[in-house]
Amino acid sequence: MDLELNKDTLRKVAGSFATGVAVVTCRSRDDSIEGITVNSFVSVSLEPPLILFSIQRQAAFLLHLFIGQPIGISILSEHQKSVSDYFAGLNNEEGLIGFEMFGEVEVVKDALAYYHLEVDQIIRAGDHDLIICEVRGLSYRDGNPLLYFKGYKSIGTQVSD
């Protein structure tokens, strides 16, 4: 079936690819914790260790990012949909969000995995910016991820190494 090429069909087709859900966090200039939900996260390079995520250029979170800035990425567990919703601006349940320090950045408490990163490049790409970061530290624990596939999903059984 050939679809009309527009924003709605692009979103629907992209939503057919299952992705994990993560929250990117940083400290703002006024020292508050800022965050945004992303599902465009990808490992770019092992040497040097680089990751990439993209953010819509209209997102207020971009105002907090600069080259050399330390940031955290929390890969969410299947039980953290409300955390994802909060940082996506879909609810205002801030009181339910807990943080812990990882390296020099705050990350979402009880997430499956963490990255401590430093922003290396910010590249304009269409209506998004690509944020390339160098990995400074990482950690993970067992559990199931929060997935996005035409809406939020979780894996029914434990994912093991």
Side-chain angles (χ1 to χ4, degrees), residues 24-28 32-35 61 64-65 69-72 105-106:
V24 180
T25 50
C26 69
R27 282 280 174 180
S28 69
S32 63
I33 301 171
E34 301 294 331
F61 186 78
H64 304 291
L65 293 181
Q69 179 184 28
I71 64 171
V105 295
E106 284 88 0

Side-chain angles (χ1 to χ4, degrees), residues 52-127:
L52 173 147
F53 59 93
S54 69
I55 299 178
Q56 190 172 26
R57 191 160 299 119
Q58 299 165 334
F61 186 78
L62 279 174
L63 300 173
H64 304 291
L65 293 181
F66 55 87
I67 304 298
Q69 179 184 28
I71 64 171
I73 291 186
S74 306
I75 298 174
L76 299 183
S77 79
E78 67 183 328
H79 305 293
Q80 293 181 304
K81 181 183 179 302
S82 64
V83 173
S84 174
D85 285 349
Y86 175 76
F87 286 108
L90 301 175
N91 72 37
N92 60 357
E93 298 176 24
E94 181 178 10
L96 301 177
I97 311 300
F99 295 99
E100 58 185 286
M101 289 300 293
F102 181 65
E104 60 184 296
V105 295
E106 284 88 0
V107 291
V108 175
K109 189 173 182 166
D110 298 325
L112 279 186
Y114 302 113
Y115 285 87
H116 171 210
L117 306 157
E118 183 176 300
V119 177
D120 185 62
Q121 297 176 56
I122 301 173
I123 302 167
R124 296 179 76 90
D127 61 359

